[in-house]
Every structure is written in structure tokens, then in C-alpha cells.
Amino acid sequence: MALYSNHTGRPRVRYTRNAIIFTALLLFALATIFPIYFMVVSALGDPVEAGAVTYSILPSKFTLASFKFFFDYSDYSYRWILNSLIVAVSVTVSNVVFASMAGFAFSKLKFRGKNILFGILLVSMMIPYQVTQVPLYILMVNVFELQNTYSALILPGIVTVYNIFLAKQFMSSIPNEILESAKMEGCNQFQIYMKMILPLSKTVLAVMAILTFMDSWNTFFWPLLITNSMEMQTIQVGLKNFRFANTTYIAPMMAGAAISALPMFVLFFSLQKYFLEGVTVGAVKG
């Protein structure tokens, strides 16, 4: 039933119901948008300490001084953004490549133990992310000695089970007759993957790229754990340098947060149709 479908009873009941629904949705929208609004308003304020900030919903004046303060505060301000970009792009590309390969293997190839292996992967999705951080840290630091490097930031997210699941579920819906016809034309499995599967899977590949980039760009805990110098910090971790024991530079921190959020806004408004498709792409029957 539609949200604003005609009510079979009295008009007053219909108007009252619709007014309640509209009010509830409006309040929810305002509660969701307010933190973003507060971030932008604070970023456009003066770069003063937390003790000198006068919190107000409506800005008293607009200035870009906090953005200038953010870039002038540290020699590594630009490096933080570059680090986040390198890590996010590398993780996104690797996930699209490896997850699509794994999805193709699980959906279209026949090999012994396929269902058991895929089941193990699905079970691993139920393990909380925080549980794996301690053994992963020991592995990266004590075994491989990769602390404070791009490899340590990129390798743990080089491919995720969720992306493999998305690729497998989507590729399972591709008719096998298409692949059989390609085999009859003399294509091997790699050619089928490159010339048939990938062109037909553009939607799921785009969804995987968008979601993976967002997750990698916004990750805070692992970069904080694995880096020990300001030079290798990402933008999310770099923002903590504006907070001290006795004070916090609120406006410059909010300016950095606004800069950090900018790629997410660009992704959402330019590729929002893929976000909507990403909600249901994993529900394809396999």
C-alpha cells in the first residue's frame, strides 16, 4: 500500500494520518541533516579554541579562515588527504578485480568443495571487525614488519567477503547459455570472464566500487592502530591532531571533516542510482 493512498474512511482520518507520517519523517530528516549542518556552520567560523567557541545554530559570520588554518597547521595536512586517496583507490581497485574473479569462480565454475568454501566465507562475515584487529596487528607488525607503511594500510582490505558475496549473487543470475555459446566459439575461462562476465556485471562492479571506496575512505580504527607517524596518517586519523589534553580546535577540525566528507557527497549525488541498486543487488537468487 502506498504511503499516501486514499483512505476508505473519513477524510479527516486520512489527513490526520498523513500529517503524522509527514511530521515524523520531517523530524527524522532534520535529525539526520543537523550534524552535517553543524559541521558546515562550525567549519565556516573562526579558528578558535574549544573554550572560546560560542555554539549557535545560526552562524554569526562566514569565513574560510578555518580551512586555511587546517592546511597551515601541519606540514602533513595535504599528505593526509593524499594517503587517504592512495589507500581508498588501491583498496577499491583490488576489491573490484579480486572479488569479481572470486564471484565468477563461485557462480559459474565447478570445483570440489565450492559450497563448503563459500559457506566458510559467509560464516566469516559474522565475526565482528574489532575481533580480528589484534591478531591482524600482530601479523602485520611482528611477522611481516609492515607497520607505518602503505602495505599495512592496504593489504587487510585488499578483498572483502561482502564484495565476493555481491559478485557471486549477481553473476549467478547471468544465463549459463551465454557462457556455453562463448565456449563453442573457442573462448577459454579467462576470455569468458573478461569479454562476457565483466561487461554484463557493470552494475554490481559499480556498486562494489562505491561502497568499498566509502568504507576505506572513512576507516579510522585500523589506520590509527597501524600508523605511528603523522606522515602516514589518513585524513580521518589526522583530524585527531587538533585535539589536545586541555583544548580542541573545533572549527579547523570541522573544516577538515568537511573536506573529508566532500568525496562522499560527490559520490552520492553523482551515482545515487547505484546506491539504490546496491540495496537489492545482494538479494538476487543464486
Side-chain angles (χ1 to χ4, degrees), residues 75-108:
D75 295 334
Y76 303 109
S77 296
Y78 291 98
R79 182 65 181 266
W80 297 338
I81 299 175
L82 178 62
N83 291 340
S84 292
L85 189 61
I86 292 174
V87 173
V89 171
S90 300
V91 170
T92 300
V93 173
S94 65
N95 268 269
V96 170
V97 174
F98 296 127
S100 62
M101 288 183 176
F104 170 64
F106 280 117
S107 61
K108 298 303 180 183

PDB file of all heavy atoms in Angstrom, residues 75-108:
ATOM      1  N   ASP A  75      52.541  20.340   8.447  1.00  0.00           N
ATOM      2  CA  ASP A  75      53.183  20.127   7.151  1.00  0.00           C
ATOM      3  C   ASP A  75      52.608  18.921   6.421  1.00  0.00           C
ATOM      4  O   ASP A  75      52.865  18.734   5.227  1.00  0.00           O
ATOM      5  CB  ASP A  75      54.694  19.913   7.345  1.00  0.00           C
ATOM      6  CG  ASP A  75      55.377  21.145   7.895  1.00  0.00           C
ATOM      7  OD1 ASP A  75      54.857  22.261   7.678  1.00  0.00           O
ATOM      8  OD2 ASP A  75      56.434  21.007   8.555  1.00  0.00           O
ATOM      9  N   TYR A  76      51.838  18.107   7.141  1.00  0.00           N
ATOM     10  CA  TYR A  76      51.315  16.876   6.563  1.00  0.00           C
ATOM     11  C   TYR A  76      49.821  16.938   6.258  1.00  0.00           C
ATOM     12  O   TYR A  76      49.205  15.915   5.996  1.00  0.00           O
ATOM     13  CB  TYR A  76      51.569  15.704   7.518  1.00  0.00           C
ATOM     14  CG  TYR A  76      53.022  15.513   7.857  1.00  0.00           C
ATOM     15  CD1 TYR A  76      53.500  15.821   9.122  1.00  0.00           C
ATOM     16  CD2 TYR A  76      53.929  15.033   6.910  1.00  0.00           C
ATOM     17  CE1 TYR A  76      54.837  15.651   9.438  1.00  0.00           C
ATOM     18  CE2 TYR A  76      55.269  14.857   7.218  1.00  0.00           C
ATOM     19  CZ  TYR A  76      55.715  15.171   8.489  1.00  0.00           C
ATOM     20  OH  TYR A  76      57.043  15.006   8.797  1.00  0.00           O
ATOM     21  N   SER A  77      49.225  18.110   6.297  1.00  0.00           N
ATOM     22  CA  SER A  77      47.785  18.224   6.048  1.00  0.00           C
ATOM     23  C   SER A  77      47.423  17.726   4.649  1.00  0.00           C
ATOM     24  O   SER A  77      46.449  16.977   4.477  1.00  0.00           O
ATOM     25  CB  SER A  77      47.335  19.677   6.228  1.00  0.00           C
ATOM     26  OG  SER A  77      47.502  20.098   7.565  1.00  0.00           O
ATOM     27  N   TYR A  78      48.199  18.117   3.664  1.00  0.00           N
ATOM     28  CA  TYR A  78      47.950  17.638   2.301  1.00  0.00           C
ATOM     29  C   TYR A  78      48.304  16.151   2.186  1.00  0.00           C
ATOM     30  O   TYR A  78      47.659  15.413   1.428  1.00  0.00           O
ATOM     31  CB  TYR A  78      48.775  18.446   1.286  1.00  0.00           C
ATOM     32  CG  TYR A  78      48.329  19.880   1.132  1.00  0.00           C
ATOM     33  CD1 TYR A  78      48.971  20.905   1.811  1.00  0.00           C
ATOM     34  CD2 TYR A  78      47.252  20.204   0.305  1.00  0.00           C
ATOM     35  CE1 TYR A  78      48.567  22.232   1.672  1.00  0.00           C
ATOM     36  CE2 TYR A  78      46.844  21.523   0.144  1.00  0.00           C
ATOM     37  CZ  TYR A  78      47.512  22.533   0.838  1.00  0.00           C
ATOM     38  OH  TYR A  78      47.093  23.832   0.702  1.00  0.00           O
ATOM     39  N   ARG A  79      49.313  15.732   2.941  1.00  0.00           N
ATOM     40  CA  ARG A  79      49.720  14.325   2.889  1.00  0.00           C
ATOM     41  C   ARG A  79      48.616  13.423   3.433  1.00  0.00           C
ATOM     42  O   ARG A  79      48.438  12.297   2.954  1.00  0.00           O
ATOM     43  CB  ARG A  79      51.012  14.146   3.693  1.00  0.00           C
ATOM     44  CG  ARG A  79      51.562  12.724   3.678  1.00  0.00           C
ATOM     45  CD  ARG A  79      52.005  12.307   2.283  1.00  0.00           C
ATOM     46  NE  ARG A  79      52.504  10.937   2.285  1.00  0.00           N
ATOM     47  CZ  ARG A  79      53.796  10.625   2.419  1.00  0.00           C
ATOM     48  NH1 ARG A  79      54.710  11.586   2.561  1.00  0.00           N
ATOM     49  NH2 ARG A  79      54.172   9.365   2.402  1.00  0.00           N
ATOM     50  N   TRP A  80      47.872  13.875   4.439  1.00  0.00           N
ATOM     51  CA  TRP A  80      46.770  13.077   4.981  1.00  0.00           C
ATOM     52  C   TRP A  80      45.734  12.786   3.901  1.00  0.00           C
ATOM     53  O   TRP A  80      45.255  11.660   3.781  1.00  0.00           O
ATOM     54  CB  TRP A  80      46.115  13.809   6.142  1.00  0.00           C
ATOM     55  CG  TRP A  80      47.016  14.027   7.318  1.00  0.00           C
ATOM     56  CD1 TRP A  80      48.145  13.318   7.630  1.00  0.00           C
ATOM     57  CD2 TRP A  80      46.875  15.024   8.322  1.00  0.00           C
ATOM     58  NE1 TRP A  80      48.716  13.798   8.771  1.00  0.00           N
ATOM     59  CE2 TRP A  80      47.966  14.854   9.231  1.00  0.00           C
ATOM     60  CE3 TRP A  80      45.961  16.048   8.571  1.00  0.00           C
ATOM     61  CZ2 TRP A  80      48.127  15.669  10.351  1.00  0.00           C
ATOM     62  CZ3 TRP A  80      46.119  16.852   9.685  1.00  0.00           C
ATOM     63  CH2 TRP A  80      47.201  16.659  10.561  1.00  0.00           C
ATOM     64  N   ILE A  81      45.401  13.802   3.129  1.00  0.00           N
ATOM     65  CA  ILE A  81      44.412  13.616   2.057  1.00  0.00           C
ATOM     66  C   ILE A  81      44.979  12.690   0.985  1.00  0.00           C
ATOM     67  O   ILE A  81      44.275  11.808   0.474  1.00  0.00           O
ATOM     68  CB  ILE A  81      44.025  14.981   1.456  1.00  0.00           C
ATOM     69  CG1 ILE A  81      43.405  15.880   2.542  1.00  0.00           C
ATOM     70  CG2 ILE A  81      43.050  14.797   0.297  1.00  0.00           C
ATOM     71  CD1 ILE A  81      43.095  17.283   2.064  1.00  0.00           C
ATOM     72  N   LEU A  82      46.262  12.877   0.642  1.00  0.00           N
ATOM     73  CA  LEU A  82      46.884  12.014  -0.361  1.00  0.00           C
ATOM     74  C   LEU A  82      46.921  10.566   0.119  1.00  0.00           C
ATOM     75  O   LEU A  82      46.655   9.637  -0.663  1.00  0.00           O
ATOM     76  CB  LEU A  82      48.297  12.509  -0.658  1.00  0.00           C
ATOM     77  CG  LEU A  82      49.111  11.673  -1.660  1.00  0.00           C
ATOM     78  CD1 LEU A  82      48.429  11.655  -3.020  1.00  0.00           C
ATOM     79  CD2 LEU A  82      50.543  12.206  -1.762  1.00  0.00           C
ATOM     80  N   ASN A  83      47.255  10.346   1.383  1.00  0.00           N
ATOM     81  CA  ASN A  83      47.284   8.985   1.922  1.00  0.00           C
ATOM     82  C   ASN A  83      45.916   8.325   1.842  1.00  0.00           C
ATOM     83  O   ASN A  83      45.798   7.153   1.447  1.00  0.00           O
ATOM     84  CB  ASN A  83      47.762   9.003   3.376  1.00  0.00           C
ATOM     85  CG  ASN A  83      49.229   9.371   3.507  1.00  0.00           C
ATOM     86  OD1 ASN A  83      49.988   9.269   2.547  1.00  0.00           O
ATOM     87  ND2 ASN A  83      49.629   9.790   4.687  1.00  0.00           N
ATOM     88  N   SER A  84      44.880   9.057   2.223  1.00  0.00           N
ATOM     89  CA  SER A  84      43.525   8.510   2.153  1.00  0.00           C
ATOM     90  C   SER A  84      43.156   8.169   0.723  1.00  0.00           C
ATOM     91  O   SER A  84      42.532   7.133   0.459  1.00  0.00           O
ATOM     92  CB  SER A  84      42.517   9.512   2.728  1.00  0.00           C
ATOM     93  OG  SER A  84      42.681   9.664   4.116  1.00  0.00           O
ATOM     94  N   LEU A  85      43.553   9.030  -0.212  1.00  0.00           N
ATOM     95  CA  LEU A  85      43.234   8.790  -1.622  1.00  0.00           C
ATOM     96  C   LEU A  85      43.957   7.556  -2.144  1.00  0.00           C
ATOM     97  O   LEU A  85      43.357   6.709  -2.838  1.00  0.00           O
ATOM     98  CB  LEU A  85      43.606  10.017  -2.443  1.00  0.00           C
ATOM     99  CG  LEU A  85      43.151  10.030  -3.909  1.00  0.00           C
ATOM    100  CD1 LEU A  85      41.637   9.971  -3.988  1.00  0.00           C
ATOM    101  CD2 LEU A  85      43.675  11.258  -4.623  1.00  0.00           C
ATOM    102  N   ILE A  86      45.238   7.418  -1.803  1.00  0.00           N
ATOM    103  CA  ILE A  86      46.007   6.260  -2.265  1.00  0.00           C
ATOM    104  C   ILE A  86      45.430   4.965  -1.705  1.00  0.00           C
ATOM    105  O   ILE A  86      45.227   3.978  -2.433  1.00  0.00           O
ATOM    106  CB  ILE A  86      47.486   6.405  -1.851  1.00  0.00           C
ATOM    107  CG1 ILE A  86      48.143   7.552  -2.630  1.00  0.00           C
ATOM    108  CG2 ILE A  86      48.247   5.106  -2.088  1.00  0.00           C
ATOM    109  CD1 ILE A  86      49.562   7.859  -2.188  1.00  0.00           C
ATOM    110  N   VAL A  87      45.128   4.955  -0.418  1.00  0.00           N
ATOM    111  CA  VAL A  87      44.604   3.749   0.217  1.00  0.00           C
ATOM    112  C   VAL A  87      43.223   3.405  -0.328  1.00  0.00           C
ATOM    113  O   VAL A  87      42.946   2.252  -0.686  1.00  0.00           O
ATOM    114  CB  VAL A  87      44.559   3.933   1.749  1.00  0.00           C
ATOM    115  CG1 VAL A  87      43.851   2.748   2.403  1.00  0.00           C
ATOM    116  CG2 VAL A  87      45.960   4.077   2.311  1.00  0.00           C
ATOM    117  N   ALA A  88      42.340   4.399  -0.409  1.00  0.00           N
ATOM    118  CA  ALA A  88      40.972   4.141  -0.855  1.00  0.00           C
ATOM    119  C   ALA A  88      40.928   3.659  -2.304  1.00  0.00           C
ATOM    120  O   ALA A  88      40.206   2.711  -2.628  1.00  0.00           O
ATOM    121  CB  ALA A  88      40.125   5.403  -0.691  1.00  0.00           C
ATOM    122  N   VAL A  89      41.708   4.287  -3.180  1.00  0.00           N
ATOM    123  CA  VAL A  89      41.718   3.879  -4.588  1.00  0.00           C
ATOM    124  C   VAL A  89      42.321   2.486  -4.742  1.00  0.00           C
ATOM    125  O   VAL A  89      41.797   1.646  -5.486  1.00  0.00           O
ATOM    126  CB  VAL A  89      42.492   4.903  -5.440  1.00  0.00           C
ATOM    127  CG1 VAL A  89      42.691   4.383  -6.858  1.00  0.00           C
ATOM    128  CG2 VAL A  89      41.742   6.232  -5.474  1.00  0.00           C
ATOM    129  N   SER A  90      43.412   2.217  -4.037  1.00  0.00           N
ATOM    130  CA  SER A  90      44.058   0.901  -4.140  1.00  0.00           C
ATOM    131  C   SER A  90      43.126  -0.202  -3.645  1.00  0.00           C
ATOM    132  O   SER A  90      42.995  -1.251  -4.294  1.00  0.00           O
ATOM    133  CB  SER A  90      45.356   0.891  -3.333  1.00  0.00           C
ATOM    134  OG  SER A  90      46.261   1.868  -3.799  1.00  0.00           O
ATOM    135  N   VAL A  91      42.492   0.015  -2.508  1.00  0.00           N
ATOM    136  CA  VAL A  91      41.576  -0.990  -1.958  1.00  0.00           C
ATOM    137  C   VAL A  91      40.373  -1.181  -2.872  1.00  0.00           C
ATOM    138  O   VAL A  91      39.911  -2.308  -3.086  1.00  0.00           O
ATOM    139  CB  VAL A  91      41.127  -0.574  -0.539  1.00  0.00           C
ATOM    140  CG1 VAL A  91      40.002  -1.470  -0.043  1.00  0.00           C
ATOM    141  CG2 VAL A  91      42.301  -0.633   0.423  1.00  0.00           C
ATOM    142  N   THR A  92      39.869  -0.098  -3.446  1.00  0.00           N
ATOM    143  CA  THR A  92      38.715  -0.198  -4.338  1.00  0.00           C
ATOM    144  C   THR A  92      39.049  -1.003  -5.592  1.00  0.00           C
ATOM    145  O   THR A  92      38.301  -1.904  -5.981  1.00  0.00           O
ATOM    146  CB  THR A  92      38.228   1.208  -4.724  1.00  0.00           C
ATOM    147  OG1 THR A  92      37.852   1.923  -3.546  1.00  0.00           O
ATOM    148  CG2 THR A  92      37.029   1.121  -5.663  1.00  0.00           C
ATOM    149  N   VAL A  93      40.162  -0.678  -6.233  1.00  0.00           N
ATOM    150  CA  VAL A  93      40.558  -1.388  -7.456  1.00  0.00           C
ATOM    151  C   VAL A  93      40.801  -2.864  -7.172  1.00  0.00           C
ATOM    152  O   VAL A  93      40.348  -3.743  -7.922  1.00  0.00           O
ATOM    153  CB  VAL A  93      41.813  -0.738  -8.073  1.00  0.00           C
ATOM    154  CG1 VAL A  93      42.333  -1.575  -9.239  1.00  0.00           C
ATOM    155  CG2 VAL A  93      41.495   0.679  -8.547  1.00  0.00           C
ATOM    156  N   SER A  94      41.512  -3.169  -6.103  1.00  0.00           N
ATOM    157  CA  SER A  94      41.803  -4.565  -5.782  1.00  0.00           C
ATOM    158  C   SER A  94      40.538  -5.342  -5.467  1.00  0.00           C
ATOM    159  O   SER A  94      40.402  -6.512  -5.852  1.00  0.00           O
ATOM    160  CB  SER A  94      42.781  -4.643  -4.605  1.00  0.00           C
ATOM    161  OG  SER A  94      42.190  -4.136  -3.418  1.00  0.00           O
ATOM    162  N   ASN A  95      39.587  -4.722  -4.782  1.00  0.00           N
ATOM    163  CA  ASN A  95      38.335  -5.407  -4.477  1.00  0.00           C
ATOM    164  C   ASN A  95      37.526  -5.688  -5.729  1.00  0.00           C
ATOM    165  O   ASN A  95      36.952  -6.772  -5.878  1.00  0.00           O
ATOM    166  CB  ASN A  95      37.507  -4.577  -3.490  1.00  0.00           C
ATOM    167  CG  ASN A  95      37.767  -4.943  -2.053  1.00  0.00           C
ATOM    168  OD1 ASN A  95      37.102  -5.794  -1.473  1.00  0.00           O
ATOM    169  ND2 ASN A  95      38.773  -4.311  -1.464  1.00  0.00           N
ATOM    170  N   VAL A  96      37.461  -4.717  -6.623  1.00  0.00           N
ATOM    171  CA  VAL A  96      36.703  -4.931  -7.865  1.00  0.00           C
ATOM    172  C   VAL A  96      37.317  -6.077  -8.673  1.00  0.00           C
ATOM    173  O   VAL A  96      36.591  -6.934  -9.200  1.00  0.00           O
ATOM    174  CB  VAL A  96      36.668  -3.632  -8.696  1.00  0.00           C
ATOM    175  CG1 VAL A  96      36.100  -3.899 -10.086  1.00  0.00           C
ATOM    176  CG2 VAL A  96      35.829  -2.573  -7.984  1.00  0.00           C
ATOM    177  N   VAL A  97      38.637  -6.132  -8.743  1.00  0.00           N
ATOM    178  CA  VAL A  97      39.304  -7.171  -9.531  1.00  0.00           C
ATOM    179  C   VAL A  97      39.170  -8.540  -8.875  1.00  0.00           C
ATOM    180  O   VAL A  97      38.662  -9.503  -9.475  1.00  0.00           O
ATOM    181  CB  VAL A  97      40.789  -6.820  -9.742  1.00  0.00           C
ATOM    182  CG1 VAL A  97      41.519  -7.973 -10.428  1.00  0.00           C
ATOM    183  CG2 VAL A  97      40.920  -5.546 -10.568  1.00  0.00           C
ATOM    184  N   PHE A  98      39.600  -8.654  -7.634  1.00  0.00           N
ATOM    185  CA  PHE A  98      39.651  -9.962  -6.976  1.00  0.00           C
ATOM    186  C   PHE A  98      38.264 -10.474  -6.589  1.00  0.00           C
ATOM    187  O   PHE A  98      37.998 -11.680  -6.694  1.00  0.00           O
ATOM    188  CB  PHE A  98      40.565  -9.900  -5.756  1.00  0.00           C
ATOM    189  CG  PHE A  98      41.999  -9.608  -6.082  1.00  0.00           C
ATOM    190  CD1 PHE A  98      42.687  -8.583  -5.463  1.00  0.00           C
ATOM    191  CD2 PHE A  98      42.666 -10.366  -7.036  1.00  0.00           C
ATOM    192  CE1 PHE A  98      44.005  -8.311  -5.764  1.00  0.00           C
ATOM    193  CE2 PHE A  98      43.995 -10.106  -7.354  1.00  0.00           C
ATOM    194  CZ  PHE A  98      44.666  -9.075  -6.720  1.00  0.00           C
ATOM    195  N   ALA A  99      37.397  -9.586  -6.144  1.00  0.00           N
ATOM    196  CA  ALA A  99      36.054 -10.034  -5.771  1.00  0.00           C
ATOM    197  C   ALA A  99      35.263 -10.484  -6.990  1.00  0.00           C
ATOM    198  O   ALA A  99      34.491 -11.447  -6.916  1.00  0.00           O
ATOM    199  CB  ALA A  99      35.304  -8.911  -5.040  1.00  0.00           C
ATOM    200  N   SER A 100      35.452  -9.812  -8.121  1.00  0.00           N
ATOM    201  CA  SER A 100      34.760 -10.240  -9.337  1.00  0.00           C
ATOM    202  C   SER A 100      35.289 -11.586  -9.825  1.00  0.00           C
ATOM    203  O   SER A 100      34.525 -12.434 -10.303  1.00  0.00           O
ATOM    204  CB  SER A 100      34.912  -9.182 -10.433  1.00  0.00           C
ATOM    205  OG  SER A 100      36.273  -8.993 -10.783  1.00  0.00           O
ATOM    206  N   MET A 101      36.582 -11.809  -9.690  1.00  0.00           N
ATOM    207  CA  MET A 101      37.148 -13.108 -10.053  1.00  0.00           C
ATOM    208  C   MET A 101      36.592 -14.207  -9.165  1.00  0.00           C
ATOM    209  O   MET A 101      36.194 -15.283  -9.646  1.00  0.00           O
ATOM    210  CB  MET A 101      38.672 -13.074  -9.944  1.00  0.00           C
ATOM    211  CG  MET A 101      39.374 -12.264 -11.015  1.00  0.00           C
ATOM    212  SD  MET A 101      41.182 -12.355 -10.830  1.00  0.00           S
ATOM    213  CE  MET A 101      41.703 -11.435 -12.287  1.00  0.00           C
ATOM    214  N   ALA A 102      36.576 -13.953  -7.857  1.00  0.00           N
ATOM    215  CA  ALA A 102      36.061 -14.956  -6.927  1.00  0.00           C
ATOM    216  C   ALA A 102      34.576 -15.192  -7.155  1.00  0.00           C
ATOM    217  O   ALA A 102      34.100 -16.336  -7.093  1.00  0.00           O
ATOM    218  CB  ALA A 102      36.320 -14.510  -5.489  1.00  0.00           C
ATOM    219  N   GLY A 103      33.827 -14.110  -7.412  1.00  0.00           N
ATOM    220  CA  GLY A 103      32.403 -14.266  -7.689  1.00  0.00           C
ATOM    221  C   GLY A 103      32.143 -15.089  -8.933  1.00  0.00           C
ATOM    222  O   GLY A 103      31.208 -15.913  -8.964  1.00  0.00           O
ATOM    223  N   PHE A 104      32.961 -14.890  -9.945  1.00  0.00           N
ATOM    224  CA  PHE A 104      32.834 -15.683 -11.170  1.00  0.00           C
ATOM    225  C   PHE A 104      33.125 -17.159 -10.895  1.00  0.00           C
ATOM    226  O   PHE A 104      32.424 -18.051 -11.382  1.00  0.00           O
ATOM    227  CB  PHE A 104      33.789 -15.142 -12.230  1.00  0.00           C
ATOM    228  CG  PHE A 104      33.927 -16.016 -13.439  1.00  0.00           C
ATOM    229  CD1 PHE A 104      32.852 -16.254 -14.279  1.00  0.00           C
ATOM    230  CD2 PHE A 104      35.146 -16.623 -13.741  1.00  0.00           C
ATOM    231  CE1 PHE A 104      32.977 -17.064 -15.405  1.00  0.00           C
ATOM    232  CE2 PHE A 104      35.288 -17.431 -14.857  1.00  0.00           C
ATOM    233  CZ  PHE A 104      34.194 -17.660 -15.693  1.00  0.00           C
ATOM    234  N   ALA A 105      34.160 -17.416 -10.104  1.00  0.00           N
ATOM    235  CA  ALA A 105      34.508 -18.805  -9.794  1.00  0.00           C
ATOM    236  C   ALA A 105      33.406 -19.492  -8.993  1.00  0.00           C
ATOM    237  O   ALA A 105      33.030 -20.636  -9.286  1.00  0.00           O
ATOM    238  CB  ALA A 105      35.828 -18.843  -9.022  1.00  0.00           C
ATOM    239  N   PHE A 106      32.856 -18.810  -7.998  1.00  0.00           N
ATOM    240  CA  PHE A 106      31.829 -19.417  -7.157  1.00  0.00           C
ATOM    241  C   PHE A 106      30.491 -19.563  -7.879  1.00  0.00           C
ATOM    242  O   PHE A 106      29.695 -20.442  -7.547  1.00  0.00           O
ATOM    243  CB  PHE A 106      31.626 -18.588  -5.882  1.00  0.00           C
ATOM    244  CG  PHE A 106      32.665 -18.843  -4.830  1.00  0.00           C
ATOM    245  CD1 PHE A 106      33.510 -17.825  -4.417  1.00  0.00           C
ATOM    246  CD2 PHE A 106      32.807 -20.096  -4.257  1.00  0.00           C
ATOM    247  CE1 PHE A 106      34.471 -18.049  -3.449  1.00  0.00           C
ATOM    248  CE2 PHE A 106      33.766 -20.331  -3.287  1.00  0.00           C
ATOM    249  CZ  PHE A 106      34.606 -19.310  -2.877  1.00  0.00           C
ATOM    250  N   SER A 107      30.233 -18.735  -8.853  1.00  0.00           N
ATOM    251  CA  SER A 107      28.926 -18.763  -9.509  1.00  0.00           C
ATOM    252  C   SER A 107      28.892 -19.608 -10.771  1.00  0.00           C
ATOM    253  O   SER A 107      27.868 -20.220 -11.096  1.00  0.00           O
ATOM    254  CB  SER A 107      28.479 -17.332  -9.851  1.00  0.00           C
ATOM    255  OG  SER A 107      29.406 -16.716 -10.742  1.00  0.00           O
ATOM    256  N   LYS A 108      30.015 -19.684 -11.501  1.00  0.00           N
ATOM    257  CA  LYS A 108      29.986 -20.323 -12.820  1.00  0.00           C
ATOM    258  C   LYS A 108      30.940 -21.498 -12.979  1.00  0.00           C
ATOM    259  O   LYS A 108      30.772 -22.285 -13.918  1.00  0.00           O
ATOM    260  CB  LYS A 108      30.301 -19.278 -13.903  1.00  0.00           C
ATOM    261  CG  LYS A 108      29.280 -18.141 -13.980  1.00  0.00           C
ATOM    262  CD  LYS A 108      27.872 -18.669 -14.225  1.00  0.00           C
ATOM    263  CE  LYS A 108      26.855 -17.540 -14.292  1.00  0.00           C
ATOM    264  NZ  LYS A 108      25.478 -18.070 -14.449  1.00  0.00           N
TER     265      LYS A 108
END
